[in-house]
Amino acid sequence: MMKIGFVFSSAPHGSASGREGLDALLAASAFCDNLVVFFIGDGVFQLLEGQQPSQILSRDYIASFKMLPLCDVEAIYACQASLTARGLEQTSTVLSTQALSVEQIKTQLSGCDRILHF
């Protein structure tokens, strides 16, 4: 079975990238059981609770990340170095993730048959 990796590396709300990635991920979860999600770089900001995108007239899609475990997407990783660099190690997130080192993320990504980057 094909293993698909979804990489979120951009901050939320500055572009439609995060929302489009989440939509694609939720749609793919209906057809594929082997999905892996990575939050790296500024993509770790996608995980923050308490965002108020209505302040900038953006849609609040962040809460929809909570649906991933319900869709049997359980391999969800965040880059430890990215969390540390942005001071987010102790911050509440909308989704439970496993923090991995850069090397561990590279290893996980190399095991994916396809990688979609948002």
Side-chain angles (χ1 to χ4, degrees):
M1 177 164 287
M2 181 178 284
K3 185 175 184 179
I4 303 172
F6 285 78
V7 178
F8 291 87
S9 65
S10 63
H13 314 303
S15 71
S17 181
R19 181 177 46 81
E20 291 173 353
L22 179 60
D23 289 345
L25 177 56
L26 291 172
S29 71
F31 301 102
C32 184
D33 292 334
N34 206 359
L35 302 176
V36 186
V37 183
F38 302 92
F39 294 92
I40 61 173
D42 285 340
V44 295
F45 288 119
Q46 301 276 350
L47 297 168
L48 295 180
E49 276 189 331
Q51 298 187 40
Q52 298 176 341
S54 61
Q55 298 284 328
I56 58 170
L57 305 176
S58 290
R59 181 176 151 215
D60 186 8
Y61 66 91
I62 298 298
S64 297
F65 277 109
K66 294 178 184 176
M67 293 178 56
L68 295 179
L70 299 174
C71 297
D72 294 328
V73 179
E74 297 171 353
I76 304 170
Y77 305 111
C79 175
Q80 181 65 54
S82 300
L83 292 168
T84 301
R86 289 155 183 83
L88 301 177
E89 291 175 300
Q90 305 299 323
T91 305
S92 296
T93 59
V94 295
L95 186 62
S96 179
T97 63
Q98 180 180 353
L100 298 180
S101 69
V102 172
E103 291 302 318
Q104 290 171 316
I105 286 182
K106 287 179 183 177
T107 301
Q108 289 289 331
L109 280 170
S110 68
C112 294
D113 298 303
R114 298 284 184 268
I115 297 172
L116 301 174
H117 185 213
F118 298 94

